[in-house]
Structure formats: structure tokens, C-alpha cells
């Protein structure tokens, strides 16, 4: 029990280990070895799931560290790529053009000299010039439409949720008030048999199009296969031909970002593009931003805590990776194992300072709480310092775990009591900000968390 409590602290910043083999017997030995290397890397770096599809078959499928493959997983910013594909579907349906000005539909923008010039393409390339907003959260559609301008349209790449919520407002008006998620479902998901496992909403209203989706690994894989096949599914052209060309076309201001997907493009590490890119993005080299020695047609959808959908057309490969917080994860190191079978240590590898890690983990914990109990903006503001304090305390406990083998029994027990008190104080403080129905949902959420940690610990042993 003592070691179980200590692993609670450790799991916030790193992962434990388990796997259940499932690979095609027809794979050549060298290919299977590469996939096993990639699976091992994903598992060590707090992996939840890894699924590899190649040339028509799932050739490797792993649940890791106590995760259940049937559980929908938080995609975080992996959600963003749905907006680009939905825009291309709307173009095919005849009610949208990528080069039309957003202000032609959003009347409130028509008298603004800068906003009136923003095109749909600039919106989805994240070069609109709008204040991008804070990563990990998202404004309502109306609030996104009121975001201030920071740059002239088309001149600067800025990563964040605002543009996707503006796109939601645009799509909603194009659809005469229909919820944009309904359009996503009937045009992107239903034709390929994808069942959405959940989707967060902002203040219970507008869908969170920048990071709110939850899918199983197999369902996200289906979406990746749809992209790989240029929009064809079971012989039917579900999405317009030329899909990949449109998704993978960069702009001068966004050389490493296509239409809502990250590109393995040749981008100088010192390029201005990286100035407003996510802090977790680790450019690998000048010849390939994601993996310097990988195929130039590689692209990915990526979310916080290393949620990944990789698509590699030249290898006829789609890969889904789910995980939890691990600052040591590196896309190039994973892909070197997967594609080339080599244990590669990326030169850009580095651990972020503690304050930045705490900020990121606090943000995602609040997103998880929001998905579990449905927080208002006021509740989220009130809970932020509570959750942040807990994360800092757990960071200290991780240090205690690393030293525990050399500590005397009395000192180890003292640290465990500290951890118990931290957990109890945090639970009480969080519940004090919730209404009765939310308290019940929160307790259920915490119970599920504890079950997963116990399962992960048993499998580790």
C-alpha cells in the first residue's frame, strides 16, 4: 500500500509499464523488430495505447500501463485536424471557399479594416493575425469573434484555440444555426464508422473544436486511414480528391503547418515560425521538422501529453499513439525506431523547467475535470490555484520516490502521510467549488483514477 501511494505521485510525471502483444504473423522479422522498439519507447514514456496500420492491416496493437483500448481517449489538440478536413468537405459541398473572407459571413467583422481581410485559409493555417488565446482552453464562439488582432492577416503563425472557435462560428452560420459537431459527424465520422466517445463544450454551450474530442485508438486510426486514402472509404469517395495536397500545403508564414496538420517540412530551427509554436514542439532538424531523416510526406495531428496521429503515405502507414504526461517524449526518437529501427537520441532533447511542466499539467488536469464534471469559467478560475498546488506537491513527492530506496522506513512513512494529506486537502478544496451533482461526478472520476493506478501498479510488479 505504501508503494502504491508513492506511485500515485510518480504517475503524474511519468509512466509505469505493461503490454499485451498483438502483431501480424506475416510481418518480416526486421519490420516487427522496429515496431517492437517503437512500442517499448511509447510504453516507457507514459504510453496508454499504440496502434500501427500498414498496407491494409493493423499490424501492431497495444494497450499500455493499464489502459483499456475500448476507452475513448482525450485527443487534446489532436482534435484540430478535424476542422481542416471539415472545411474541405464544406468546399466539396459547395457552401465554403478556402479563399473567401470570413467577414462575408460574419457581419460584425465587415467594418474592421483587419478582420474583414481574414480568409478561411488563413484562419486554418493559424496565420489570421488574431490573438490565438491560451493553449489548453478555448473561448466561446462569440468571445473568439471578439478576439483582438495582433498581426496583419497572413504574416505570422500563432498557435492557439481562437481560430478554431471562429471557424466553428463561421460553420454554424453557413449551416443556418446547425451545431458544427453535427456536420462533423455526418460528413467525417459516420461514413467511416467512427463513434465519438465524447466532446467537451465551452460553458456547456459551443463545442470545443480546438481540443475537445475523445475517440478510441481504432476510431482515430480510421480517420487517419481516410486521409491516407485521399478521402476514399470502402470504394466510395467520402471526401474530395486532392485532400492530401490541400492538407499538406504550407504557407510562407506557416512552413511547418499545413491546413491544421503538422508537416515534416524543411524548416530552419531558428525560423520565426517556432516563436509562437507550442512549447512542446521539438524541431528535429533543418531537413525534417518532425523527424529529420523521415519521409518528407510524413504529417501528424498532435495533442498535449503526446497524443499523436501519424500518417506516412509513402510507407502506406497510419499510427495512433495515446499517452500521459512525459516531458522526455520526442517524436523523432519514436519515429526513428518505428521507421528505421534505430535507437536515436535527438539532439534537441531537453527537459522543460519545472514551472512550465507544472503549467502544462495543471492545464490538462483542468481539462480532464471539465470533461468529468462540466466546469463553468468561474469554477475553472477558482480551481486553477488548487490544482496547481497539488501538482507542485506531487512533483516533490516524485523526488521522494526517486530517493525512497535510500530513506529510512520512518522517513518514508512521514512522506507518505504528507502525500495522503495533500490528496485529502485537494479533494476537499475542489469539492468546495462544485455543486452537489458535480461532487458526485468528481468522486466517481477520482474512484476511476485510483482503480487505474492500482491496476498499473499490479501490472508493473
Amino acid at each position: 500500500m505504501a508503494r502504491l501511494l508513492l506511485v500515485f505521485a510518480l504517475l503524474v510525471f511519468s509512466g509505469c509499464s505493461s503490454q499485451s502483444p498483438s502483431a501480424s504473423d506475416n510481418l518480416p522479422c526486421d519490420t516487427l523488430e522496429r515496431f517492437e522498439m517503437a512500442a517499448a519507447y511509447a510504453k516507457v514514456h507514459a504510453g496508454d495505447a499504440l496502434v500501427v496500420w500498414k498496407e491494409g492491416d493493423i499490424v501492431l496493437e497495444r494497450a499500455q500501463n493499464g489502459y483499456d483500448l475500448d476507452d475513448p481517449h482525450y485527443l487534446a489538440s489532436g482534435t484540430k485536424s478535424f476542422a481542416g478536413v471539415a472545411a474541405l468537405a464544406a468546399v466539396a459541398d459547395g457552401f465554403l471557399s478556402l479563399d473567401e473572407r470570413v467577414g462575408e459571413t460574419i457581419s460584425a467583422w465587415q467594418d474592421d479594416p483587419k478582420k474583414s481581410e481574414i480568409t478561411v485559409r488563413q484562419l486554418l493555417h493559424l496565420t489570421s493575425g488574431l490573438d490565438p488565446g491560451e493553449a489548453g482552453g478555448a473561448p466561446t464562439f462569440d468571445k473568439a469573434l471578439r478576439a483582438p488582432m495582433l498581426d496583419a492577416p497572413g504574416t505570422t503563425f500563432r498557435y492557439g484555440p481562437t481560430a478554431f472557435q471562429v471557424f466553428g462560428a463561421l460553420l454554424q452560420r453557413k449551416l443556418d444555426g446547425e451545431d458544427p459537431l453535427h456536420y462533423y459527424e455526418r460528413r467525417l465520422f459516420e461514413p467511416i464508422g467512427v463513434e465519438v466517445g465524447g466532446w467537451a463544450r465551452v460553458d456547456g454551450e459551443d463545442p470545443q473544436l480546438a481540443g475537445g474530442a475523445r475517440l478510441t485508438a481504432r476510431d482515430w486510426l480510421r480517420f487517419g486511414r481516410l486521409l491516407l486514402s485521399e478521402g476514399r472509404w470502402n470504394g466510395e469517395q467520402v471526401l474530395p480528391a486532392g485532400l492530401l495536397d490541400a492538407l499538406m500545403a504550407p504557407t510562407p508564414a506557416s512552413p511547418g503547418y499545413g491546413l491544421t496538420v503538422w508537416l515534416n517540412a524543411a524548416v530552419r530551427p531558428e525560423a520565426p515560425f517556432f516563436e509562437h509554436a507550442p512549447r512542446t514542439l521539438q524541431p528535429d532538424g533543418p531537413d525534417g521538422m518532425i523527424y529529420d531523416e523521415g519521409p518528407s510526406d510524413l504529417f501528424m495531428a498532435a495533442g498535449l501529453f503526446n497524443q499523436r496521429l501519424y500518417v506516412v503515405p509513402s510507407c502506406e502507414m497510419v499510427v495512433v499513439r495515446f499517452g500521459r504526461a512525459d516531458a522526455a517524449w520526442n517524436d523523432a526518437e519514436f519515429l526513428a525506431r518505428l521507421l528505421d529501427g534505430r535507437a536515436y537520441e535527438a539532439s534537441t532533447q531537453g527537459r522543460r523547467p519545472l514551472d512550465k511542466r507544472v503549467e502544462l499539467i495543471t492545464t490538462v488536469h483542468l481539462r480532464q475535470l471539465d470533461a468529468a464534471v462540466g466546469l463553468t469559467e468561474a469554477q475553472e478560475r477558482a480551481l486553477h490555484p488548487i490544482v496547481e498546488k497539488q501538482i507542485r506537491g506531487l512533483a516533490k513527492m516524485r523526488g521522494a520516490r526517486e530517493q525512497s530506496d535510500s530513506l529510512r522506513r520512518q522517513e518514508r512513512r512521514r512522506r507518505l502521510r504528507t502525500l495522503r494529506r495533500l490528496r485529502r486537502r485537494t479533494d476537499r478544496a475542489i469539492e468546495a467549488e462544485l455543486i452537489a451533482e458535480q461532487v458526485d461526478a468528481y468522486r466517481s472520476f477520482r474512484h476511476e483514477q485510483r482503480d487505474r493506478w492500482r491496476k498499473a501498479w499490479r501490472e508493473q510488479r
Side-chain angles (χ1 to χ4, degrees):
M1 183 63 186
R3 299 193 71 184
L4 172 60
L5 286 168
L6 277 171
V7 87
F8 166 80
L10 178 64
L11 283 170
V12 175
F13 283 79
S14 61
C16 36
S17 306
S18 74
Q19 68 183 38
S20 54
S22 176
S24 170
D25 293 335
N26 297 323
L27 283 176
C29 290
D30 60 339
T31 302
L32 181 57
E33 183 179 352
R34 289 191 281 112
F35 293 169
E36 292 292 349
M37 289 179 67
Y41 181 88
K43 174 183 171 183
V44 167
H45 291 283
D48 283 332
L50 180 66
V51 184
V52 180
W53 183 94
K54 182 172 173 58
E55 299 176 350
D57 293 299
I58 291 179
V59 294
L60 184 140
E61 186 174 44
R62 296 285 168 82
Q64 299 177 324
N65 298 320
Y67 184 71
D68 186 332
L69 284 171
D70 291 329
D71 287 345
H73 200 286
Y74 176 55
L75 303 189
S77 289
T79 304
K80 290 178 170 64
S81 63
F82 299 138
V85 180
L88 295 173
V91 171
D93 291 345
F95 66 85
L96 186 74
S97 165
L98 293 182
D99 293 315
E100 71 177 76
R101 290 181 172 87
V102 178
E104 294 173 10
T105 301
I106 306 295
S107 58
W109 281 18
Q110 291 173 1
D111 295 329
D112 187 300
K114 289 186 177 179
K115 288 185 177 180
S116 62
E117 296 298 315
I118 297 172
T119 67
V120 177
R121 191 184 301 275
Q122 290 166 343
L123 204 62
L124 297 178
H125 277 284
L126 301 184
T127 61
S128 66
L130 290 166
D131 184 333
E134 296 183 6
T140 61
F141 289 172
D142 285 343
K143 187 174 181 180
L145 292 174
R146 297 195 301 271
M149 293 291 292
L150 301 181
D151 309 289
T155 62
T156 305
F157 175 83
R158 289 183 182 271
Y159 184 82
T162 297
F164 297 93
Q165 298 302 93
V166 171
F167 175 71
L170 172 67
L171 196 58
Q172 188 174 59
R173 296 188 192 190
K174 290 278 190 178
L175 295 168
D176 297 324
E178 181 183 358
D179 190 319
L181 283 190
H182 296 166
Y183 185 73
Y184 277 31
E185 287 172 353
R186 73 169 186 267
R187 286 297 274 117
L188 308 186
F189 302 142
E190 290 176 3
I192 62 175
V194 166
E195 182 177 346
V196 176
W199 204 299
R201 290 182 177 269
V202 183
D203 286 351
E205 300 175 5
D206 300 321
Q208 215 280 45
L209 300 183
R214 300 179 74 90
L215 296 181
T216 65
R218 280 193 172 227
D219 277 340
W220 205 17
L221 187 83
R222 282 174 172 260
F223 179 73
R225 289 171 53 196
L226 181 66
L227 304 187
L228 181 69
S229 65
E230 292 275 13
R232 293 185 66 80
W233 192 262
N234 292 335
E236 180 182 351
Q237 195 71 45
V238 174
L239 295 172
L243 175 71
L244 283 182
D245 288 342
L247 287 177
M248 296 178 66
T251 72
S254 61
Y257 194 76
L259 200 74
T260 68
V261 297
W262 297 100
L263 310 174
N264 196 35
V267 185
R268 294 176 294 104
E270 68 274 13
F273 168 75
F274 292 112
E275 183 178 349
H276 300 295
R279 290 187 296 270
T280 52
L281 185 67
Q282 300 172 328
D284 188 49
D287 296 323
M289 187 186 77
I290 301 171
Y291 174 34
D292 196 48
E293 297 187 24
S296 60
D297 64 352
L298 160 70
F299 65 93
M300 70 178 182
L304 186 65
F305 289 178
N306 313 312
Q307 319 313 326
R308 295 292 189 266
L309 172 68
Y310 302 101
V311 181
V312 195
S314 58
C315 298
E316 295 185 56
M317 183 184 294
V318 180
V319 180
V320 168
R321 191 271 175 175
F322 287 154
R324 289 161 288 113
D326 191 306
W329 171 272
N330 186 283
D331 290 298
E333 293 185 353
F334 171 77
L335 291 166
R337 289 157 174 79
L338 181 80
L339 301 176
D340 299 328
R342 65 191 186 100
Y344 166 59
E345 184 174 349
S347 60
T348 55
Q349 180 71 34
R351 191 169 180 83
R352 291 186 302 275
L354 177 62
D355 283 347
K356 291 186 176 180
R357 284 185 281 136
V358 167
E359 177 187 347
L360 286 170
I361 295 172
T362 298
T363 296
V364 87
H365 275 234
L366 287 171
R367 298 280 67 76
Q368 291 171 338
L369 276 175
D370 184 36
V373 308
L375 301 175
T376 65
E377 285 191 6
Q379 286 176 321
E380 188 169 329
R381 286 194 298 271
L383 291 178
H384 190 283
I386 297 170
V387 174
E388 181 179 335
K389 184 176 180 180
Q390 180 196 35
I391 299 305
R392 291 188 182 278
L394 292 173
K396 292 180 181 178
M397 291 307 301
R398 184 194 181 197
R401 166 64 190 257
E402 291 169 347
Q403 302 171 21
S404 62
D405 289 341
S406 61
L407 292 175
R408 290 180 300 177
R409 180 177 299 179
Q410 183 178 0
E411 177 63 13
R412 286 159 62 183
R413 288 178 175 173
R414 187 188 69 79
R415 292 183 186 225
L416 285 170
R417 288 195 296 271
T418 300
L419 174 58
R420 292 191 188 100
R421 287 195 296 270
L422 172 64
R423 289 176 57 186
R424 288 195 293 267
R425 284 198 303 268
T426 301
D427 285 340
R428 286 196 298 268
I430 288 175
E431 290 183 6
E433 301 294 336
L434 305 177
I435 63 176
E437 294 83 356
Q438 289 175 314
V439 169
D440 290 340
Y442 175 71
R443 290 177 179 174
S444 177
F445 167 70
R446 291 285 290 117
H447 180 73
E448 290 173 2
Q449 277 189 323
R450 285 192 291 269
D451 281 349
R452 281 193 63 193
W453 291 330
R454 290 189 183 101
K455 184 178 179 182
W457 173 244
R458 287 194 299 268
E459 292 180 352
Q460 182 189 31
R461 295 184 66 191

